[in-house]
Amino acid sequence: MIDFDVVTLSRLQFALTALYHFLFVPLTLGLSMILVIMESVYVMTGREIWKRMTQFWGVLFGINFAMGVATGITMEFQFGTNWSYYAHYVGDIFGVPLAVEGLMAFFLESTFVGLFFFGWERLPKLGHLVVTGLVALGSSLSALWILVANGWMQHPTGAQFNFRTLRMELTSFADVLFNPVAQAKFVHTVAAGYVLGSVFVLSISAWYLLRGRNVEVARRSLAVAASFGLACSLSVVVLGDESGYLDGENQKMKIAAIEAEWETQPPPASFTAFGLPDVEKRVTHAQVKIPWLLGLIATRSIDKPVAGIVDLVQHARARIESGIEAYGELRRLRASPADALDPGLVRDFEAHRADLGYGLLLLRYTDDPTHATPQQIDAAAWSTVPDVPVLFWGFRAMVGLGFYFIGLFATAFYLASRHRFERHRGFLRAAFLSLPLPWIAVELGWVVAEYGRQPWAVDGVLPTFLGVSRTSAGNVWLSLLGFVVFYSALAVVDVFLITRAIRRGPDGLGYWPSRPWPDPGTAPDRATREAGGDR
């Protein structure tokens, strides 16, 4: 029997470490591309201020990159310590993109990060720009392979269960790589990282303008962030729509939970802009609907229904009953001599193999799924419903923040085109106070994607509770507390280093002769600013 204290603690530990690691990943993606833009302007124009900007934001990128590496490595160790059966069951598929990520992306990125920092005076301008581009490419490739692995967990393709080894085995690497869910998640996640990086640069630049410091650097940085961020925030909406369509095709329960739709909607399905999900009564109160929108998102049509939770549970019940047959046939196959397998048994198992994962859901309620009671089958069917309120509100908060960023960048772009930032201190304050919001948005996106997959570690293949290691709850508690302490210390160091670099500004990084203002809290006169900022 499964120790559910171990399951809960293992899930909590992985969730905390993944969410903490994801604080650094999108900023790495966003800043790497902004560095490419800034250095490209420097190479094309030869103006030293753009080199200065690239070096300054590069320091913040380097601090964030180091923290991302430290947190990412420890997170991957958990597949061997807390999720050993998961690693055994699907390691042939899941391990491939992780290995390629390490060889192709991580080493590439890490190598050229060093050249980025130490090659300014050793490489020609164009050569250094190529290095910066390769850093950005490595960041994107790293995200690609991680999301290929994660996309396979959301929509497993290119793999098949082998009853002889009791493992999933790779049948087509191309199907895994070109999995449409993985590709959609990749472009959506990368675009969200670009938005986060743009808000980061926008907010810090607004802080400098409010204090009258490093004005020429701040103005240009804010203009870059405004234009790049506006384009990326608009693309996030489009790419998020594509992810919604693919979820409507492959993860119908996730869409139903996000919408808190208990009953199937006839076409054209409406989108619930607001509602109060009631899990006990299985109804959503006070609904405010937008006609046709959900049908367009989930089915790309206005003449197809969107399945509700109740009907999807009935579908899961039918697959569980088929999974019981698969489980029974698998036991009979395993009991037969390996050199004298009955072809009839093999055919019977093949007929139900696709539903074996649903049969495994019953192991949460009984030691022998072939003798499951109707009540246990019903409980297993309803266990396929993720936490509806979490998904419902998490998705709407994420979408609301996405539209806020579009408005923020559009306003910044307008002010940049008019060179009027200093005249609108209210906007600058709003931009600075927006600094934590993109992190909230990306973390909510991760929660919606991962929590919406439950109760599956691999959708329809392996229930989450079966993937844990056979260890004690005390061991998991010990490692969980260790991670909390370690990551808390890293958080303090990260905030200290980034805050110190920002307070020092471009003049205090050692790249340039320091020209401290007489009073850092007051704005320098124009002649002094021009002399120190745009040589």
Side-chain angles (χ1 to χ4, degrees), residues 87-319:
H88 167 79
Y89 197 77
V90 301
D92 286 2
I93 306 98
F94 189 79
V96 172
L98 292 185
V100 176
E101 186 268 338
L103 294 172
M104 178 187 292
F106 179 71
F107 291 157
L108 171 71
E109 186 181 16
S110 300
T111 299
F112 285 101
V113 161
L115 289 175
F116 172 82
F117 285 107
F118 300 109
W120 283 105
E121 307 305 327
R122 297 173 174 83
L123 295 171
K125 289 182 181 180
L126 186 58
H128 195 277
L129 175 60
V130 171
V131 165
T132 307
L134 289 172
V135 170
L137 176 63
S139 299
S140 296
L141 287 176
S142 182
L144 170 65
W145 292 109
I146 294 298
L147 291 170
V148 164
N150 183 264
W152 184 81
M153 295 168 68
Q154 305 280 348
H155 178 53
T157 60
Q160 184 172 280
F161 177 77
N162 187 332
F163 66 85
R164 294 177 176 84
T165 62
L166 297 181
R167 301 174 67 194
M168 296 293 293
E169 295 181 354
L170 185 68
T171 58
S172 173
F173 180 69
D175 287 347
V176 175
L177 176 59
F178 296 107
N179 183 346
V181 173
Q183 299 302 316
K185 285 174 69 66
F186 168 67
V187 293
H188 183 60
T189 302
V190 169
Y194 293 164
V195 170
L196 191 151
S198 299
V199 174
F200 180 80
V201 173
L202 187 79
S203 299
I204 303 306
S205 300
W207 182 78
Y208 283 133
L209 291 177
L210 286 169
R211 293 176 61 86
R213 287 185 52 193
N214 304 105
V215 174
E216 298 306 321
V217 169
R219 282 177 179 170
R220 288 165 173 78
S221 297
L222 207 151
V224 170
S227 54
F228 184 60
L230 179 59
C232 294
S233 59
L234 291 171
S235 68
V236 165
V237 175
V238 177
L239 298 171
D241 174 71
E242 178 65 18
S243 293
Y245 170 68
L246 290 172
D247 285 344
E249 289 288 307
N250 304 302
Q251 292 181 293
K252 298 181 186 297
M253 184 64 81
K254 181 188 289 187
I255 291 294
I258 287 173
E259 279 299 293
E261 290 294 342
W262 300 94
E263 303 294 338
T264 297
Q265 281 203 56
S270 301
F271 177 84
T272 304
F274 178 83
L276 301 173
D278 187 335
V279 176
E280 291 186 2
K281 296 182 179 180
R282 297 172 184 172
V283 67
T284 301
H285 304 288
Q287 290 180 304
V288 177
K289 289 183 171 289
I290 302 175
W292 295 18
L293 184 58
L294 180 60
L296 294 173
I297 294 174
T299 68
R300 290 286 194 271
S301 71
I302 58 173
D303 59 355
K304 295 180 181 178
V306 176
I309 293 174
V310 173
D311 284 344
L312 291 172
V313 168
Q314 294 299 324
H315 179 68
R317 181 181 286 107
R319 295 199 65 177

Side-chain angles (χ1 to χ4, degrees), residues 316 320 358 361-362 365 375-385 455:
I320 290 170
Y358 281 83
L361 287 172
L362 287 166
Y365 308 97
Q375 292 78 14
Q376 290 169 335
I377 294 174
D378 188 69
W382 277 100
S383 75
T384 61
V385 182

Side-chain angles (χ1 to χ4, degrees), residues 18-34 61 64-65 68 71 109 139-140 143 147 186 188-201 228 436-444 446:
L19 290 172
Y20 189 83
H21 176 60
F22 207 58
L23 293 173
F24 306 102
V25 171
L27 184 57
T28 296
L29 290 168
L31 284 181
S32 65
M33 281 304 300
I34 290 175
F61 165 83
N64 181 81
F65 173 77
T71 56
E109 186 181 16
S139 299
S140 296
L147 291 170
F186 168 67
H188 183 60
T189 302
V190 169
Y194 293 164
V195 170
L196 191 151
S198 299
V199 174
F200 180 80
V201 173
F228 184 60
L437 297 182
W439 274 284
I440 296 173
V442 297
E443 296 286 8
L444 286 173
W446 195 254

